Every structure is written in structure tokens, then in C-alpha cells.
Amino acid sequence: MASLSQELSVYSQAMNLRTQRHQLLASNIANADTPGYKARDFSFEKAMQNAMAGSNGGSIALATTSGTHLQGSGMSGAATLQYRTETQSAVDGNTVDMDVERSQISENAIQYQIVSQLISDTFKGMRTALSSTSS
Amino acid sequence: MSLFNVFQVSSSAMTAQSMRLNAVASNLANADSIVSADGKPYRAKQVVFEATPMGSDGDLSKGVRVRQVVEDASPARMVYDPKNAAADEKGYVAYSNVNVVEEMTNMISASRSYQTNVEVMNTAKTMMLRTLTIGQG
């Protein structure tokens, strides 16, 4: 069963990161008219690699130097936020490009649905395997 | 479930945009006003947006709020009309400083931004509903 939980942990990590990215892109779109707001994003590929490297190393918990420190989950640490390079500068210092944000958010939503489909398929495979042995 | 933060962020943006639309409406309604409540010519009102942290994920999701409503500092529109009761000694009447064209573009921009945020909310809803179907069928 280790392989199933391992496989699912990859998917859930991907889903987590997709959710975080969706929040970030929604914030960018919400602040499309806010003066001085800088659009932010993170590279999903890099964040996923970081997360996988962390989980392979055994622990993704934050290092603590005292017993009174709180244990962070370390999940969101996988993604490093970066500012988007602007294509056209606005007078009010806002760097949100609506076209880019909208295409990215659509892409992100589709990728999220792909991951959820993959999880469903994994379960479906398990169920098929179980039903074939019981009959 | 941090996707709920998307709802908060988008709804804050929708509130902010509708306040902007409200300001546009009152500006356009008073485009030809001579005096406002304080006895001076009406001054166009503009909302100032500000990004504000929202939800449980701190830095990740930023919503919008209206920091303040400022009054347009540009001078009143002076129209020569000596017959008008509100005319000064030179025969000029001070009308409001509302720029109608500017307000119309503001209105279009606000309604488009509002629509986009509704769409973002719908996308988040689709994603969440999709998550609920995991393991079914």
C-alpha cells in the first residue's frame, strides 16, 4: 500500500500548489486597479521540485532551535513568490496584465482538474482490482 | 481549504469596484450641478484602492479595499451666463468639475473588472465542486 499513498501524496502536493497559485492569481486580478500593486506568481515546476525534494529528504518540517517554537507545516515554503516582469508599464505603478492573468488562471484551473481526475482514476483502478479478486 | 480565500479576495474586489461605480454614478448625476451641500460647486469624487492581506494564508492572497474617497482638485468649470442667479459679478457660473468622458471610461473599466472577478469566483467554484467528486463513480 505504500505505493498508493506515495502516489496520492504527489497528487495532493500538486493540488496544494495549484490551490496556492489560484489564490495568488485571484489576488492579482482583484488588484488590477490598485495603484502600485505588483503582480506576483510562482513557478509551479520549481515549487513542485522543492516540495518533492523536501518530502524525499524525510522531513519538510521547519527547523526549530527551542522547545517553545511552533511547528510550521512547511507546505507553503515550497513556493517562492516572484514579481512578474511587466510588458507595458502603467502610470500608477500597477503591473497586472489582465490578459496574462486570465490565461494563467484558466490554465491553472484546468491543471487542477487534471490532477483531481488522476486521483479519481487511481481510486477507480484500486476499486477494479478489489472487485476482480472478490468475484 | 484555502480555495475559500479566493471567494473572499474576489468579493472584496467586487465590493471595491461597486463603490467605484457608485462614485461614478454620483459624479455623472451631478455633472451639471452648480452647488452641492456645502454651498460650493460639486467636486468629482474618486475612490482610492489599496491592497490588503485577506484570509488565512497571509501574504499569498491579497484583497482590495477602498482606502479613501478623494475629491478631484481640478478647478470648477466656468460658464458665461449672466442671466443665471448663481452668476458672479463678471457673469460666470461655476459648474462642477466632473469630466463626463473620464467618468464614462471609468464606468466601463469598473464593470469589466467586476465581471472578471465574478468569473474568477466561478472558476474557483468549479474547482471546488470538482474536488468533491473525487472517489465517486
Side-chain angles (χ1 to χ4, degrees), chain A residues 15-16 18-20 22-24 26-35 37 40 42 81 98 102 105-106 108-109 112-113 116-117 119-120 123-124 127, chain B residues 1-3 5-6 9-10 13 17 20 49-51 57 59-64 109 113 116-117 119-120 123-124 126-127 130-131 133-137:
Chain A
M15 244 176 164
N16 259 332
R18 288 286 173 207
T19 310
Q20 286 176 11
H22 201 81
Q23 278 184 67
L24 208 55
S27 305
N28 287 348
I29 291 179
N31 284 290
D33 296 318
T34 308
Y37 181 85
R40 299 167 309 159
F42 65 81
L81 301 188
M98 206 51 129
R102 285 186 65 156
I105 208 164
S106 307
N108 196 56
Y112 183 92
Q113 296 190 4
S116 81
Q117 185 66 51
I119 296 175
S120 283
F123 282 125
K124 207 176 274 174
R127 202 172 288 143
Chain B
M1 193 66 184
S2 46
L3 261 183
N5 288 343
V6 175
V9 168
S10 293
Q17 295 294 347
R20 182 176 168 201
F49 289 165
E50 184 185 48
D57 268 358
D59 200 36
L60 213 52
S61 52
K62 283 224 165 85
V64 196
S109 168
S113 298
T116 314
N117 279 297
E119 216 167 288
V120 169
T123 313
T126 314
M127 283 163 74
R130 187 61 185 258
T131 317
T133 63
I134 288 178
Q136 286 179 0

Side-chain angles (χ1 to χ4, degrees), chain A residues 48-125:
Chain A
M48 196 65 198
Q49 277 166 9
N50 283 349
M52 294 325 289
S55 62
N56 288 343
S59 167
I60 50 167
L62 298 175
T64 52
T65 51
S66 158
T68 55
H69 285 172
L70 293 174
Q71 276 289 342
S73 69
M75 280 290 204
S76 57
T80 41
L81 301 188
Q82 288 170 313
Y83 290 112
R84 216 188 272 297
T85 44
E86 58 178 339
T87 45
Q88 299 175 67
S89 57
V91 188
D92 62 356
N94 189 303
T95 64
V96 179
D97 186 344
M98 206 51 129
D99 306 329
V100 175
E101 303 302 334
R102 285 186 65 156
S103 66
Q104 292 292 328
I105 208 164
S106 307
E107 188 239 329
N108 196 56
I110 302 272
Q111 296 275 15
Y112 183 92
Q113 296 190 4
I114 291 173
V115 177
S116 81
Q117 185 66 51
L118 285 171
I119 296 175
S120 283
D121 289 352
T122 311
F123 282 125
K124 207 176 274 174

Side-chain angles (χ1 to χ4, degrees), chain B residues 17-97:
Chain B
Q17 295 294 347
S18 65
M19 280 177 85
R20 182 176 168 201
L21 213 51
N22 233 327
V24 168
S26 79
N27 287 348
L28 281 176
N30 286 294
D32 288 321
S33 293
I34 297 174
V35 283
S36 70
D38 57 357
K40 296 195 184 84
Y42 177 85
R43 288 192 173 280
K45 288 173 177 44
Q46 310 288 353
V47 292
V48 180
F49 289 165
E50 184 185 48
T52 176
M54 198 155 274
S56 51
D57 268 358
D59 200 36
L60 213 52
S61 52
K62 283 224 165 85
V64 196
R65 73 185 184 97
V66 174
R67 187 176 60 198
Q68 56 177 342
V69 179
V70 292
E71 290 201 331
D72 197 333
S74 57
R77 188 160 48 93
M78 304 302 279
V79 176
Y80 184 68
D81 185 8
K83 292 194 294 296
N84 197 312
D88 61 8
E89 64 273 11
K90 286 181 183 152
Y92 282 93
V93 181
Y95 281 90
S96 73
N97 61 353

